[in-house]
Amino acid sequence: MSLDEFFVTGDPLILGSQIAIGLTMVGLVALITYLKRWKWLWREWFTTVDHKKIGIMYILAGVLMFFRGGVDGLLMKAQTSRPELGFLDAQHYDEIFTTHGVIMILFMAMPLLIGIMNVVVPLQIGARDVAFPKLNALSFWLFFVGAMLFNISFVIGGSPDAGWTSYFPLAGKEFTPGVGNNYYAIALQIAGIGTLATGINFVVTIIKMRAPGMSWMKMPIFTWTSFVTSILIVAAFPIFTVALAFMSLDRLFGTHFFTVAAGGDPMLWLNLFWLWGHPEVYIVVLPAFGMFSEVIATFSRKNLFGYKSMVYAVAGIAFLSMLVWVHHFYTMGNSAAVNSIFSLTTIMIAIPTGVKIFNWLFTMRKGRIEFSNAMLWSLAFIPCFTIGGVTGVMLAMAAADYQYHNTMFLVAHFHYVLIPGVVFAVFAGLYYWWPKMFGFKLNEKIGKWHFWLFVIGFNMTFMPMFFVGLDGMSRRMYTYSESTGWAPWLGFSAVGSVVMAAGFAALCYNIYWSFRYASRDVGSDPWNGRTLEWATASPAPHYNFAVVPEVDRIDDFWYKKKEGKTGIKKSDLKPVHMPSNSWTPIFLGVAFGIVGFFLVFEWFTLAVISSILIVIGLVANSFDYDDGYHIPVDELEEEEREWRGELK
Amino acid sequence: MSSTHSSRFPWNHLIGFILSIALTLLAVFVKFYTSFSDSIVVWIIGTLAIFQALIQLFMFMHVTEGKEGWINVVNMIYSVFLALVIVFGSIWVLTSGHAAMH
């Protein structure tokens, strides 16, 4: 392979990106060296097993990926803003919608949600860390390496270009011979292993590590939704692992799982992909529902209406979510029985979702609503998401779906589900839990700019897509003619995407501004919260709780505050056992990245040689006898005194 | 449940032991001393294996005991359900409709 095949060449946009990436990397290395921060980075972040720091790294990576995926979106909107534009050619457009989809779902939504889960769940259940802290670090590094591997595709070797669903036969070697779709198969596999480990970790954490007294029906609702999401991860991700393994074998080693020629079946890929892909939608949306529930209850000053029905609704959604996958390909030409059954299950899933909408509305009814930023996002979520849900029921009807299938109507629908359902939730969650992570609030005034620009821009961008979709515009069209009459709609939509981008810029500015100027004096419980994460200092100390709290009822902390029983006694302090940092997770992550890179380029000798690194990492990990360390009582006392005052 | 353990004769274990031996012998018998076709033999042995597994789980491995033993049971039922959905669902989806008309 010659050098100009290795690097993608010939496009000024990509050349610009290559130069920008190169300069940023050099700049970062120089800056860290200049500030003498390498040791600090290694000690405090790269080798950490602290769930809060891992969560923050997930969130940081998620915001970065949001930027990358967002730029992809803007490029697409620019290309379709006018008829017959030549800004992007068809191939480049294909690559961009592919990476946009993969990055937004797997490298933006997932890490932001898992990041917030990481920070919040152990705090909410009164635990000091997750069940397997080192595995948690490994999860992060595998995700991160997978994401980076996927991201370099557009400058090295070429991007995947078969859509985020990568349907066969297009995604097979015969039709896309380059390395692009190898990136898809390998990078998602690596990140997927990390996600699966996260799922296992949180199932065990929530089953085994709840504070004394916190029975199932006393668990905060966000913990419930995280629990159900983790179960869905464990149930669904192995299917994707298998599908990607088949894909890799087909592409790298010439097997024929998905090629008709030798008796394979491309529809098997669709089937497996959506067996994972549909639960995946609920994997990202359930924790988001949990966040809205926490935020709405807190800022309505009421307990969550119908807590139990909420729990049952979440469980019901999880159960049904494994039974609806065929609605993504009704048009494969299935029997009437198959399409009818899957229509039914799909429509049924709207029922528990409707239950939740009413629960949120009734939680707010007669509440003393405070319009903080977190609450604003939750309020905007309800109508926007309902539009997404109702159009979903339209799509669920198999007969009607033959009209909507693969049109812009569908694209508008799932953006109306995923952006309010996930992105709004993440924003609400970030504003809400930011003080718990960093010890200061994000600015409310800049936050309002962020909110209004983003919500208005979002509706401007995606509402027109419903109409061009109904008018027959299919998805993934890179251009269209003047005579279609779509130009005004799509032009308006493009303007909307710029407004939405301005909203995102306001968030970034808000983070920057608040880091520099926001008041550090916010106390441990700035929102008058209801759950245990507010019972400890902000930012939470590395041991989380000096004394493990005991729980008598739901929203226990809320009642304890009223009873004035939130203090701790000096005599209750005992040395706290904490896990030690470890270098093996990041080492294994990098090793997987190197092997993955060689596999993408089908340099098998190098891949085999470098996989020795993985073995070294695993062996080193097995012989690691470090049992962690104990934080002595005086240290605990000193840290607690700082925010509680003198202990009794 | 735990009180029955200490003093009384472990009937559970005895019955489980006898049943598991019986099931094993039955499998041997079906294979060597009957003239069923191979596919029927596999079906019978498979069915016996499921009973064997259940006996092991309930009589020796005590899946339902312990503070949150029901979690194990729910977990197993859910896993079996998922496996059935994935396998038979996929077969159904990929072999009906147009796909069946090769």
Side-chain angles (χ1 to χ4, degrees):
Chain A
M1 182 179 268
S2 66
L3 204 61
D4 64 292
E5 278 175 66
F6 185 70
F7 288 110
V8 179
T9 49
D11 187 313
L13 273 176
I14 290 181
L15 184 67
S17 315
Q18 281 164 332
I19 295 171
I21 291 172
L23 288 178
T24 316
M25 299 275 266
V26 173
L28 267 179
V29 171
L31 185 72
I32 297 169
T33 313
Y34 175 73
L35 295 171
K36 298 200 175 80
R37 285 298 185 135
W38 282 109
K39 260 200 178 139
W40 171 84
L41 263 181
W42 178 259
R43 205 180 53 239
E44 296 291 321
W45 296 95
F46 290 170
T47 60
T48 187
V49 294
D50 181 338
H51 68 98
K52 299 176 288 298
K53 286 184 177 171
I54 290 172
I56 289 168
M57 290 196 289
Y58 266 118
I59 290 167
L60 194 64
V63 171
L64 265 177
M65 290 294 104
F66 198 169
F67 175 76
R68 160 78 210 267
V71 170
D72 284 347
L74 287 173
L75 289 173
M76 284 190 279
K77 284 280 116 189
Q79 166 62 23
T80 55
S81 61
R82 301 286 311 138
E84 322 260 9
L85 270 189
F87 174 56
L88 302 172
D89 59 33
Q91 172 61 24
H92 201 170
Y93 192 81
D94 289 354
E95 293 175 5
I96 285 179
F97 70 64
T98 302
T99 51
H100 170 78
V102 173
I103 287 174
M104 285 305 203
I105 295 274
L106 289 159
F107 301 138
M108 184 279 282
M110 290 293 281
L112 282 170
L113 292 165
I114 290 179
I116 295 177
M117 272 164 67
N118 255 294
V119 172
V120 176
V121 168
L123 287 168
Q124 275 198 334
I125 62 175
R128 288 195 169 120
D129 207 320
V130 293
F132 310 112
K134 208 199 275 182
L135 183 67
N136 200 21
L138 180 63
S139 288
F140 170 76
W141 287 110
L142 286 177
F143 144 73
F144 187 72
V145 162
M148 290 302 112
L149 189 59
F150 189 85
N151 269 277
I152 58 167
S153 66
F154 84 111
V155 288
I156 298 177
S159 281
D161 53 3
W164 89 276
T165 49
S166 275
Y167 281 173
F168 279 79
L170 179 59
K173 202 78 174 172
E174 194 187 347
F175 296 102
T176 45
V179 298
N181 287 308
N182 293 355
Y183 270 112
Y184 181 96
I186 305 292
L188 297 197
Q189 188 70 287
I190 294 174
I193 301 169
T195 310
L196 180 59
T198 299
I200 295 168
N201 217 334
F202 277 86
V203 169
V204 179
T205 305
I206 295 171
I207 290 180
K208 288 288 180 191
M209 296 175 68
R210 278 169 287 136
M214 186 183 279
S215 58
W216 288 99
M217 283 299 169
K218 289 172 192 162
M219 251 162 47
I221 195 75
F222 177 66
T223 302
W224 254 116
T225 55
S226 301
F227 179 62
V228 174
T229 278
S230 306
I231 290 176
L232 274 181
I233 288 177
V234 177
F237 263 77
I239 306 172
F240 197 39
T241 307
V242 170
L244 285 172
F246 285 172
M247 181 193 238
S248 308
L249 288 171
D250 269 16
R251 288 193 60 90
L252 302 184
F253 300 105
T255 58
H256 295 285
F257 287 101
F258 304 127
T259 42
V260 182
D265 186 353
M267 291 314 291
L268 177 61
W269 165 264
L270 270 80
N271 185 67
L272 291 174
F273 182 87
W274 287 115
L275 259 167
W276 159 78
H278 197 86
E280 165 67 12
V281 175
Y282 289 93
I283 289 169
V284 292
V285 93
L286 286 180
F289 287 167
M291 291 181 204
F292 288 128
S293 305
E294 298 286 359
V295 167
I296 288 175
T298 302
F299 293 106
S300 303
R301 301 273 171 269
K302 281 175 67 190
N303 53 357
L304 186 66
F305 180 90
Y307 169 84
K308 274 193 181 160
S309 65
M310 201 69 137
V311 171
Y312 296 139
V314 172
I317 288 175
F319 178 76
L320 284 172
S321 75
M322 295 298 296
L323 302 175
V324 298
W325 74 94
V326 179
H327 71 214
H328 296 274
F329 50 97
Y330 285 139
T331 53
M332 83 177 266
N334 231 314
S335 66
V338 171
N339 278 3
S340 311
I341 292 285
F342 282 93
S343 258
L344 268 177
T345 51
T346 306
I347 294 169
M348 271 159 66
I349 221 168
I351 298 169
T353 317
V355 168
K356 294 155 108 28
I357 299 273
F358 283 105
N359 279 341
W360 290 315
L361 293 177
F362 281 120
T363 305
M364 286 186 276
R365 183 170 176 268
K366 293 196 173 174
R368 258 179 296 139
I369 297 176
E370 184 190 327
F371 291 95
S372 69
N373 274 327
M375 188 64 178
L376 282 179
W377 286 107
S378 313
L379 290 173
F381 152 76
I382 294 175
C384 293
F385 184 79
T386 305
I387 294 173
V390 170
T391 50
V393 177
M394 291 168 71
L395 285 157
M397 295 180 280
D401 183 65
Y402 273 77
Q403 294 300 314
Y404 306 132
H405 185 77
N406 268 3
T407 63
M408 291 304 261
F409 185 85
L410 165 85
V411 176
H413 153 71
F414 69 68
H415 281 90
Y416 260 89
V417 173
L418 286 170
I419 294 180
V422 178
V423 179
F424 286 15
V426 166
F427 289 151
L430 285 180
Y431 279 98
Y432 184 59
W433 281 302
W434 196 268
K436 198 44 70 181
M437 288 187 264
F438 299 104
F440 60 89
K441 289 182 186 179
L442 286 174
N443 183 280
E444 289 279 313
K445 209 165 170 192
I446 307 173
K448 296 277 188 299
W449 279 97
H450 169 211
F451 172 78
W452 288 110
L453 286 170
F454 199 92
V455 173
I456 292 170
F458 157 71
N459 281 293
M460 284 172 68
T461 308
F462 294 105
M463 189 60 86
M465 289 192 189
F466 282 122
F467 301 108
V468 290
L470 290 176
D471 201 28
M473 183 178 183
S474 68
R475 76 195 285 199
R476 296 170 174 170
M477 281 175 72
Y478 86 106
T479 194
Y480 54 95
S481 75
E482 181 81 60
S483 60
T484 54
W486 299 331
W489 293 110
L490 293 170
F492 184 77
S493 170
V495 174
S497 68
V498 176
V499 178
M500 193 155 65
F504 180 72
L507 170 70
C508 296
Y509 177 67
N510 197 354
I511 293 174
Y512 164 78
W513 190 94
S514 307
F515 252 108
R516 294 203 64 171
Y517 306 113
S519 158
R520 259 54 178 177
D521 184 26
V522 291
S524 61
D525 181 19
W527 312 113
N528 199 359
R530 314 179 71 81
T531 40
L532 280 179
E533 71 269 31
W534 307 109
T536 189
S538 296
H542 60 292
Y543 50 82
N544 288 1
F545 299 95
V547 177
V548 173
E550 285 193 27
V551 175
D552 305 321
R553 60 217 130 167
I554 182 101
D555 290 342
D556 194 63
F557 177 62
W558 171 262
Y559 295 105
K560 289 240 165 83
K561 273 194 291 192
K562 290 191 165 173
E563 294 158 8
K565 285 193 207 154
T566 56
I568 56 170
K569 283 195 221 104
K570 207 169 171 178
S571 54
D572 286 344
L573 289 179
K574 287 189 195 86
V576 172
H577 184 203
M578 296 298 291
S580 304
N581 283 6
S582 171
W583 58 273
T584 48
I586 185 171
F587 177 82
L588 275 170
V590 173
F592 268 93
I594 294 170
V595 176
F597 185 80
F598 290 145
L599 281 178
V600 165
F601 283 88
E602 300 174 31
W603 297 338
F604 296 120
T605 322
L606 284 169
V608 169
I609 295 170
S610 56
S611 54
I612 294 170
L613 289 173
I614 298 179
V615 177
I616 292 173
L618 292 173
V619 170
N621 195 47
S622 300
F623 286 96
D624 178 5
Y625 294 112
D626 192 330
D627 280 339
Y629 61 98
H630 285 84
I631 306 173
V633 172
D634 341 327
E635 200 182 315
L636 288 178
E637 199 190 329
E638 199 174 314
E639 287 220 28
E640 290 295 305
R641 203 188 291 140
E642 252 176 53
W643 66 280
R644 286 180 190 271
E646 209 54 51
L647 300 183
K648 273 174 235 155
Chain B
M1 199 177 273
S2 57
S3 62
T4 56
H5 261 272
S6 47
S7 56
R8 289 168 54 186
F9 187 77
W11 285 110
N12 263 351
H13 289 105
L14 187 67
I15 295 169
F17 185 60
I18 292 171
L19 275 177
S20 58
I21 290 179
L23 285 171
T24 311
L25 290 177
L26 200 57
V28 173
F29 174 79
V30 169
K31 173 63 195 158
F32 287 110
Y33 300 99
T34 62
S35 51
F36 293 128
S37 70
D38 280 354
S39 66
I40 293 181
V41 170
V42 169
W43 275 103
I44 294 175
I45 294 182
T47 317
L48 292 176
I50 292 170
F51 282 111
Q52 183 76 271
L54 289 175
I55 289 167
Q56 299 289 329
L57 284 169
F58 283 93
M59 300 198 158
F60 298 112
M61 294 161 92
H62 309 285
V63 278
T64 51
E65 285 175 29
K67 208 175 89 207
E68 287 180 330
W70 60 273
I71 289 176
N72 292 325
V73 179
V74 173
N75 185 11
M76 282 188 293
I77 293 172
Y78 185 58
S79 310
V80 170
F81 166 76
L82 284 181
L84 294 177
V85 166
I86 293 167
V87 173
F88 292 104
S90 297
I91 292 173
W92 187 41
V93 168
L94 293 176
T95 57
S96 63
H98 289 185
M101 297 174 201
H102 284 313

